[in-house]
């Protein structure tokens, strides 16, 4: 197996940037790495995201009635190698929100379960490096009956999302670049009231959620024991409307954000199944979202369900 | 190959899963049935008016005879439209055929929701106030908060009612048949009616409503005129009115509106915002009684919402009556009773259940919504569409409801700014709220007062649903304790006071001639 397979987990959270949070996302669904056949990587990630300023449409402001809005998350994630070229992944976070000022009560609960199928159809040597391409299909849905129509305190947006992603990865020696593009189909959601105003009145409890597109670019150093990378990402809602002046946010707002961050993963030589991860992101520009800064850290372990068959294990030297 | 198959199969399943349900949303109000009155209420010209001294206070000239060239030309206009109706025009007919009072009530709720946003602060942490004389400057006029909204619904509904009573007087007097009855080529694209068509009830509603909206929502006149033009054209395309019937109705509606706009300009709502001296005085007079005064929890501190709205002129009773129905003083903030109520609020703040949160959010009717009054208008409209009312009966029932809601707002604001007592979260900062904390004193609950009044009126109008309305009012009232923004006594006394206000509308309903 080639460099793109690993026995290490490479989970990192790209935590949502929204006034609420979108689903917590694991990095492995967006990177150029596959789990080896029969290996199961699982672990826990904690993240903390907060913002003081937010964009009301294009108007950047703070709000003394919210102060700093923070979101903490603990997520359980897993990645299983069905084959070296086909992985399935899952993630489910517990989320808690809090505003430092004002009277609004924070919310907490289990948010959305995400499932992905990740497939690597292309893995070639090009020039001095190796090129690989991936297709990822993901589906997420709420696993608790959390309140959505209480932004920015809600823990999520409740839509069932189908995401389709293409990833390209190129590695020369220990340096790599990865780019990906994702289209997210979002289902309508239901709220607790039977009318609401967007740019006009609606007499229904159902809200049409615009689809979204996201782009992710990452580059850095990648070896079997250490990965360090720079990450740029963009999320653009394809439709939706702006928060009007001094209004509350609404789930179908046009939420956009461009972010930059760093991420690392370290695998202990003495215990190659165990890895720790960490990362941080800042929000460069946005629309109808908080200008969030996040930090995350996690621990993962790889179990091999076919220990006896050594042939399927990766060869670290090839990485 | 096996892998590929697995992948493809999974993908297909996922796509089916995610996109299986259509994104199209059926909005309830767009599937309302056509207005098809079970009776014409031909004699509604004799029903008791609100501000008009007599139904013929404003004269409507006799219509031209139906054999004159002018009238025949008007029939030809209808035929020329009906010759080439597009799908879009048929859709316009379908939309408006649900009823004039209903659709304009919806438009009004939409305008309220759009304008129900508190102004953003100035750089110096003061707040700008909307200015009716400069309505386009930020913050646009109006800030359609719950008291403002209740007043808007009341004026529009009451004026529509008086205008339709006057219209019925002249309909009966002139007794002209609808175009589809006079010319067999003309199709009735709305349910045929025996009600005389001059002056047009739709024209009357357009005339009176647009004139009031000029006063109440001046920045939306382009939108309002577009709706009015579409509404007029609908009647012609549907074969229900010739143009001059609509114009005669519109003129009458405008004249009746004049009585209501004159009242509105002098009802003291324009000065209900008060000024810095008044805001300080309200605080001082509560301190003087030894009680804790309400303090704005917003940052920067925002002046209370319309502190003098309690002085606005009521529709259903006089100012002495307003004092007589005022709730008793709330429990002292130093009393054991108060402590007990505070503990209850803290309990609901700390222990929200999903069902209680649903109730809180269902009834919240906060910023950017049609307000509690609008919510009760929506509840009424959902039920009225099933009742087979004529336009004038729709107007009468909406007027009863909305006069009660406005008077409920006045009674509640009178109480709030007399006692000026603190919100639970002011007394105990551990109380976090599950909905936005309103920026005015706690006692009594506005939602409870509105809901008590509305349920009482609607229970009179549709007795079969009286207990259901009462249960809804009770839930709306409790939602404010569940949301941790009101004490129980705010809600209990608010509900009672609302019921007292509603009683005046019930008395009026029994005596206005509509049910005789």
């Amino acid at each position: 197996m080639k460099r793109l397979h690993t026995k290490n987990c490479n989970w990192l959270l790209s935590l949502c940037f929204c006034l609420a949070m979108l689903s917590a996302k694991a990095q492995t669904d967006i990177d150029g790495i596959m789990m080896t056949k029969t290996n199961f990587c699982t672990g826990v990630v904690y993240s903390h995201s907060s913002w003081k300023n937010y964009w009301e449409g294009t108007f950047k402001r703070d709000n003394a009635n919210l102060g700093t809005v923070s979101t903490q998350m603990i997520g359980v994630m897993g990645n299983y190698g069905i084959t070296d070229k086909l992985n399935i992944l899952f993630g489910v976070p517990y989320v808690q929100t809090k505003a430092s000022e004002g009277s609004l009560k924070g919310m907490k609960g289990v948010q959305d379960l995400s499932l992905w199928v990740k497939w690597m159809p292309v893995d070639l040597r090009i020039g001095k490096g190796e090129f690989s391409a991936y297709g990822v299909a993901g589906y997420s849905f709420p696993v608790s009956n959390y309140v959505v129509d209480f932004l920015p305190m809600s823990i999520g947006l409740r839509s069932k999302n189908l995401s389709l992603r293409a990833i390209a990865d190129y590695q020369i020696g220990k340096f790599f670049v990865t780019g990906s593009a994702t289209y997210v189909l979002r289902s309508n959601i239901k709220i607790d009231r039977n009318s609401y105003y967007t740019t006009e009145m609606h007499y229904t409890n159902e809200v049409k959620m615009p689809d979204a597109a996201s782009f992710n670019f990452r580059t850095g150093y990648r070896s079997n024991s250490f990965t360090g990378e720079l990450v740029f990402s963009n999320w653009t809602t394809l439709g939706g409307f702006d928060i009007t002046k001094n209004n509350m946010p609404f789930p179908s707002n046009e939420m956009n954000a461009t972010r930059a961050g760093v991420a690392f993963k370290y695998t202990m030589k003495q215990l190659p199944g165990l890895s720790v991860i960490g990362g941080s992101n800042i929000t460069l520009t946005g629309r109808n979202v908080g200008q969030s800064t996040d930090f995350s850290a996690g621990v993962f372990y790889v179990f091999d369900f076919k220990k006896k068959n050594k042939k399927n294990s990766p060869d670290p030297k090839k990485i | 190959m096996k892998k590929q198959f697995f992948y493809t199969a999974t993908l297909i399943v996922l796509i089916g899963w995610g996109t299986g349900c259509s994104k199209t949303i059926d909005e309830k109000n767009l599937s309302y049935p056509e207005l098809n009155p079970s009776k014409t209420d031909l004699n509604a010209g004799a029903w008791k008016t609100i501000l008009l001294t007599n139904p013929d206070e404003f004269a409507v000239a006799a219509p031209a005879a139906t054999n004159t060239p002018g009238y025949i030309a008007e029939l030809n206009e209808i035929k020329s439209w009906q010759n080439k109706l597009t799908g879009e025009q048929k859709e316009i007919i379908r939309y408006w055929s649900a009823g004039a009072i209903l659709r304009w009530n919806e438009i009004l709720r939409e305008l309220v929701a759009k304008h129900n946003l508190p102004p953003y602060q100035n750089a110096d942490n003061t707040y700008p106030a909307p200015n009716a004389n400069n309505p386009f400057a930020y913050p646009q006029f109006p800030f359609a908060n719950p008291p403002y909204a209740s007043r808007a619904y009341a004026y529009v509904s009451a004026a529509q009612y008086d205008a339709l009573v006057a219209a019925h007087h002249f309909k009966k007097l002139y007794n002209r048949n609808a175009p589809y009855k006079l010319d067999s080529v003309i199709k009735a694209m709305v349910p045929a009616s025996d009600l005389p068509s001059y002056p047009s009830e739709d024209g009357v509603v357009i005339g009176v409503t647009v004139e009031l909206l000029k006063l109440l929502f001046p920045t939306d006149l382009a939108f309002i005129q577009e709706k009015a033009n579409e509404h007029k054209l609908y009647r012609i395309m549907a074969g229900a009115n010739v143009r001059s019937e609509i114009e005669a109705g519109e003129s009458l509606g405008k004249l009746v509106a004049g009585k209501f706009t004159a009242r509105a300009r002098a009802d003291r709502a324009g000065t209900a915002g008060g000024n810095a001296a008044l805001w300080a005085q309200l605080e001082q007079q509560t301190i003087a009684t030894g009680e804790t005064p309400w303090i704005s929890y917003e940052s920067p501190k925002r002046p209370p919402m319309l502190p003098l709205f309690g002085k606005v002129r009521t529709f259903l009773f006089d100012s002495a009556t307003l004092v007589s129905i005022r709730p008793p003083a709330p429990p002292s903030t130093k009393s054991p009773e108060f402590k007990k109520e505070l503990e209850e609020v803290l309990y609901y703040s700390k222990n929200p259940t999903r069902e209680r949160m649903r109730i809180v959010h269902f009834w919240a009717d906060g910023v950017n919504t049609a307000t509690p009054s609008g919510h009760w208008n929506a509840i009424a409209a959902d039920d009225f569409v099933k009742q087979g009312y004529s336009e004038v009966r729709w107007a009468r029932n909406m007027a009863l409801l909305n006069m009660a809601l406005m008077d409920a707002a006045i009674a509640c604001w009178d109480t709030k700014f007399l006692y000026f007592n603190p919100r639970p979260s002011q007394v105990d900062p551990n109380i976090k709220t599950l909905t936005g904390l309103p920026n005015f004193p706690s006692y009594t609950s506005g939602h409870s007062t509105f809901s008590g009044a509305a349920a009482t009126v609607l229970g009179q109008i549709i007795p079969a649903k009286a207990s259901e309305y009462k249960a809804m009012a009770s839930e709306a009232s409790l939602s404010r304790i569940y949301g941790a923004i009101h004490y129980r006594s705010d809600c209990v006394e608010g509900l009672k006071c609302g019921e007292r206000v509603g009683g005046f509308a019930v008395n009026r309903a029994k005596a206005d001639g509509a049910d005789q």
Side-chain angles (χ1 to χ4, degrees):
Chain A
M1 292 297 104
K2 301 188 176 161
R3 62 162 177 92
L4 297 158
H5 295 102
T6 184
K7 224 177 164 170
N8 299 329
C9 273
N10 197 37
W11 292 102
L12 253 207
L13 279 208
S14 81
L15 248 203
C16 171
F17 41 81
C18 301
L19 279 167
M21 259 197 10
L22 291 187
S23 306
K25 286 197 174 151
Q27 183 188 314
T28 34
D29 66 296
I30 206 162
D31 67 12
I33 293 172
M34 297 295 282
M35 282 304 291
T36 307
K37 185 176 179 181
T38 71
N39 277 224
F40 176 61
C41 165
T42 186
V44 178
V45 175
Y46 168 84
S47 74
H48 181 278
S49 167
S50 65
W51 50 265
K52 183 169 180 288
N53 294 317
Y54 63 102
W55 287 275
E56 202 172 71
T58 53
F59 174 59
K60 190 176 174 184
R61 62 170 291 185
D62 63 358
N63 190 332
N65 298 300
L66 294 169
T68 298
V69 175
S70 57
T71 303
Q72 296 187 85
M73 191 220 71
I74 292 177
V76 177
M77 277 131 201
N79 182 358
Y80 180 72
I82 293 173
T83 71
D84 292 344
K85 294 190 174 199
L86 187 71
N87 284 189
I88 51 170
L89 304 84
F90 77 90
V92 60
Y94 178 88
V95 179
Q96 181 162 10
T97 62
K98 186 179 191 294
S100 68
E101 303 295 330
S103 75
L104 293 182
K105 186 178 170 72
M107 300 279 107
K108 58 189 173 186
V110 181
Q111 194 212 40
D112 302 341
L113 173 65
S114 295
L115 301 167
W116 295 272
V117 176
K118 185 176 180 181
W119 179 45
M120 180 180 68
V122 179
D123 183 13
L124 318 160
R125 187 148 198 101
I126 297 180
K128 290 176 186 170
E130 286 195 31
F131 174 80
S132 55
Y134 306 78
V136 180
Y139 184 71
S140 71
F141 57 97
V143 285
S144 76
N145 189 18
Y146 62 82
V147 173
V148 58
D149 185 21
F150 190 44
L151 294 173
M153 309 317 293
S154 305
I155 61 167
L157 296 176
R158 285 208 78 84
S159 60
K160 294 173 198 155
N161 300 340
L162 175 67
S163 64
L164 298 170
R165 173 176 302 140
I167 307 173
D169 182 276
Y170 188 67
Q171 179 158 0
I172 297 182
K174 294 200 159 111
F175 292 92
F176 75 96
V177 290
T178 309
S180 68
T182 310
Y183 189 89
V184 185
L185 289 139
R186 301 198 294 180
S187 72
N188 294 348
I189 60 167
K190 286 192 172 155
I191 58 175
D192 288 334
R193 50 188 165 133
N194 58 12
S195 72
Y196 58 91
Y197 189 89
T198 54
T199 53
E200 58 184 356
M201 201 74 174
H202 300 273
Y203 288 100
T204 171
N205 65 344
E206 206 173 335
V207 179
K208 190 175 190 168
M209 295 290 279
D211 290 343
S214 79
F215 299 92
N216 188 290
F217 176 81
R218 41 213 315 137
T219 184
Y221 175 92
R222 182 161 67 201
S223 75
N224 212 22
S225 59
F226 183 77
T227 301
E229 54 188 331
L230 295 172
V231 184
F232 295 91
S233 63
N234 171 271
W235 172 281
T236 303
T237 302
L238 306 171
F241 66 102
D242 282 337
I243 305 173
T244 39
K245 193 149 176 137
N246 222 26
N247 200 349
M248 300 298 277
F250 192 72
S252 63
N253 284 141
E254 181 187 352
M255 300 181 188
N256 301 336
T258 302
R259 318 190 71 212
V262 292
F264 74 85
K265 178 198 68 175
Y266 177 71
T267 307
M268 273 167 247
K269 289 207 172 69
Q270 300 85 343
L271 198 55
L274 187 71
S275 53
V276 293
I277 57 132
S280 178
N281 293 278
I282 58 167
T283 304
L284 303 174
T285 62
R287 189 178 185 119
N288 305 306
V289 298
Q291 188 176 23
S292 62
T293 300
D294 69 57
F295 304 93
S296 57
V299 181
F300 285 89
Y301 193 78
V302 180
F303 300 91
D304 188 345
F305 288 111
K306 217 172 174 183
K307 279 263 159 76
K308 288 159 203 163
N309 189 353
K310 293 285 182 192
K311 281 176 201 166
N312 277 326
S313 298
D315 181 352
K317 284 171 193 165
K318 279 190 177 174
I319 289 184
Chain B
M1 246 19 258
K2 222 166 125 190
K3 291 170 225 161
Q4 257 95 344
F5 172 77
F6 178 84
Y7 173 72
T8 312
T10 309
L11 190 65
I12 288 166
V13 167
L14 284 171
I15 290 171
W17 213 349
T19 57
C21 40
S22 155
K23 281 194 137 179
T24 310
I25 296 172
D26 295 320
E27 300 197 16
K28 177 173 55 180
N29 63 319
L30 298 180
S31 57
Y32 284 153
E34 309 173 287
L35 183 83
N36 192 3
S38 56
K39 50 185 176 181
T40 60
D41 289 322
L42 179 63
N43 294 319
W47 293 359
K48 189 179 160 194
T49 50
I50 295 161
L51 292 189
L52 287 187
T53 46
N54 294 296
D56 58 355
E57 185 177 338
F58 298 108
V60 174
T66 51
N67 58 4
T68 56
Y71 184 77
I72 289 162
E74 293 197 301
L75 292 179
N76 287 338
E77 184 190 359
I78 297 175
K79 290 175 195 171
S80 76
W81 282 107
Q82 292 197 338
N83 256 340
K84 51 156 184 107
L85 281 179
T86 64
E88 197 186 336
Q89 286 164 341
K90 284 177 185 158
E91 198 47 44
I92 288 172
I93 293 172
R94 214 196 55 75
Y95 167 82
W96 284 101
S97 66
I101 295 294
L102 166 69
R103 291 306 185 201
W104 282 102
N105 182 266
E106 282 176 8
I107 292 166
L108 180 54
R109 276 182 260 149
E110 177 161 8
L111 292 169
V112 166
K114 179 183 176 189
H115 287 273
N116 182 13
L117 289 170
Y120 181 64
Q121 67 261 28
N122 294 318
D124 65 355
N125 283 348
T126 60
Y127 288 92
N131 180 355
N133 297 317
N134 188 12
F136 288 91
Y138 186 83
Q140 278 199 0
F141 178 86
F143 167 20
N145 51 38
Y148 186 93
S150 71
R151 175 172 168 269
Y153 294 123
Y155 273 94
V156 170
S157 296
Q160 286 172 338
Y161 169 71
D162 267 12
L164 279 169
V165 169
H168 271 247
H169 170 84
F170 292 107
K171 278 174 181 289
K172 191 176 177 185
L173 180 67
Y174 297 128
N175 198 26
R176 180 200 265 180
N177 273 330
Y180 52 74
K181 294 209 166 189
L182 291 169
D183 190 323
S184 59
V185 175
I186 291 172
K187 288 192 292 275
M189 301 194 66
V190 290
S193 165
D194 292 330
L195 186 68
S197 65
Y198 180 93
S200 157
E201 61 269 34
D202 289 73
V204 168
V205 171
I206 294 164
V208 71
T209 309
V210 170
E211 211 56 23
L212 276 150
L213 294 182
K214 284 179 188 173
L215 178 74
L216 295 164
F217 292 95
T219 61
D220 288 280
L221 285 171
F223 167 74
I224 291 160
Q225 287 295 356
E226 241 172 71
K227 287 284 184 188
N229 292 338
E230 189 185 279
H231 186 179
K232 285 185 224 173
L233 187 55
Y234 136 73
R235 289 299 285 183
I236 294 167
M237 293 190 303
N241 281 121
V242 295
R243 191 171 285 275
S244 61
E245 290 167 351
I246 295 168
E247 284 165 355
E250 196 177 4
S251 301
L252 173 62
K254 281 184 181 175
L255 290 168
V256 174
K259 293 209 84 166
F260 286 84
T261 53
R263 184 193 193 274
R265 288 195 169 92
D267 70 358
R268 297 184 284 271
T271 53
N275 51 44
L278 171 85
W279 307 330
Q281 184 208 323
L282 289 166
E283 195 174 321
Q284 287 311 315
Q285 74 192 26
T286 300
I287 292 170
T289 65
E291 290 295 331
T292 307
W294 171 82
I295 296 169
S296 172
Y297 204 84
E298 283 198 44
S299 182
K301 287 197 191 315
R302 188 188 289 275
M305 182 185 288
L306 302 182
L308 292 179
F309 196 82
K311 308 287 183 206
V312 171
R313 215 173 131 204
T314 44
F315 264 110
L316 296 168
F317 44 79
D318 59 22
S319 53
T321 308
L322 179 66
V323 174
S324 73
I325 61 166
R326 183 188 286 158
S332 163
T333 48
K334 289 168 256 173
S335 66
E337 194 188 344
F338 178 86
K339 281 201 180 66
K340 209 178 115 205
E341 290 201 20
L342 190 66
E343 274 164 25
E344 184 185 21
V345 179
L346 181 64
Y347 172 82
Y348 285 119
S349 169
K350 296 260 186 209
N351 302 287
T353 62
R354 186 61 186 86
E355 173 61 6
R356 286 202 290 266
M357 281 159 87
R358 181 196 68 75
I359 291 169
V360 169
H361 290 125
F362 181 78
W363 292 105
D365 299 319
V367 296
N368 208 202
T369 70
T371 79
S373 296
H375 196 160
W376 280 103
N377 273 260
I379 290 166
D382 279 347
D383 288 342
F384 289 179
V385 294
K386 299 170 201 149
Q387 303 296 318
Y389 293 150
S390 62
E391 291 285 6
V392 68
R393 194 167 288 275
W394 259 94
R396 177 254 191 181
N397 292 338
M398 280 297 186
L400 289 167
L401 172 67
N402 284 314
M403 289 191 295
L405 283 164
M406 174 174 166
D407 286 1
I410 294 167
C412 179
W413 255 244
D414 166 72
T415 308
K416 279 180 182 293
F417 287 90
L418 176 68
Y419 301 116
F420 208 70
N421 76 325
R423 290 275 171 176
S425 47
Q426 181 186 331
V427 184
D428 183 352
N430 291 321
I431 293 174
K432 292 287 177 186
T433 66
L434 291 155
T435 185
L437 182 66
N439 191 58
F440 40 82
S442 202
Y443 184 83
T444 52
S445 147
H447 280 58
S448 305
T449 316
F450 285 127
S451 300
T456 304
V457 179
L458 293 179
Q460 166 69 22
I461 295 169
I462 308 178
K465 295 198 77 174
S467 60
E468 203 178 311
Y469 292 131
K470 211 169 167 137
M472 289 164 98
S474 168
E475 187 180 90
S477 177
L478 284 169
S479 78
R480 309 308 271 176
I481 310 178
Y482 297 161
I485 59 170
H486 272 293
Y487 313 99
R488 189 167 286 271
S489 56
D490 297 350
C491 298
V492 170
E493 291 300 330
L495 207 51
K496 279 197 227 164
C497 179
E499 286 166 0
R500 291 196 286 273
V501 172
F504 289 92
V506 169
N507 291 342
R508 189 189 154 87
K510 287 176 179 164
D512 65 7
D515 289 334
Q516 273 84 54

